[in-house]
Amino acid sequence: DVLVDTLDIHEDHDLVLFHIEGSHFLWKMVRRLVGVIVEVGRGGLTPQDAAGLLAARSDVAARFTAPASGLFLERVYYEGDPRDAPVRPAANAQSLHPAPHT
């Protein structure tokens, strides 16, 4: 069984950021979760419809699969790793909102 521990949604200017933590993920699982939630936000599904799609085995959720662009793996925890350690940005990481050129 897959256990989703955390699913947080944040807005950052015109970005919608999804933070999902779980025991592991199945193929396209995160993309389908995001796609279904986005469809609820657009009004194409009710929250009850979405819960039903995610609770039952169905290929319907595949229609809402979010594109892979913009999704990335932030961190992997291995057995015994502390989960409260802050994420450290890579040395060459660029900000999501770089300073405008003047």
Side-chain angles (χ1 to χ4, degrees), residues 12-46:
D12 184 4
H13 301 281
D14 56 346
L15 295 176
V16 178
L17 306 172
F18 292 80
H19 175 93
I20 304 172
E21 291 184 27
S23 59
H24 61 287
F25 298 107
L26 304 174
W27 182 65
K28 293 189 180 181
M29 179 180 171
V30 171
R31 291 175 56 196
R32 289 183 178 162
L33 283 169
V34 169
V36 166
I37 293 167
V38 166
E39 193 61 23
V40 170
R42 289 181 176 160
L45 288 173
T46 67

Side-chain angles (χ1 to χ4, degrees), residues 87-102:
V87 176
R88 292 178 300 227
N92 295 326
Q94 294 182 0
S95 168
L96 290 174
H97 300 285
H101 296 287
T102 56

Side-chain angles (χ1 to χ4, degrees), residues 50-66:
L53 284 177
L54 299 175
R57 291 187 181 268
S58 170
D59 291 337
V60 176
R63 291 186 307 170
F64 305 113
T65 302

Side-chain angles (χ1 to χ4, degrees), residues 31 34 66-72:
R31 291 175 56 196
V34 169
S69 61
L71 300 177
F72 66 94

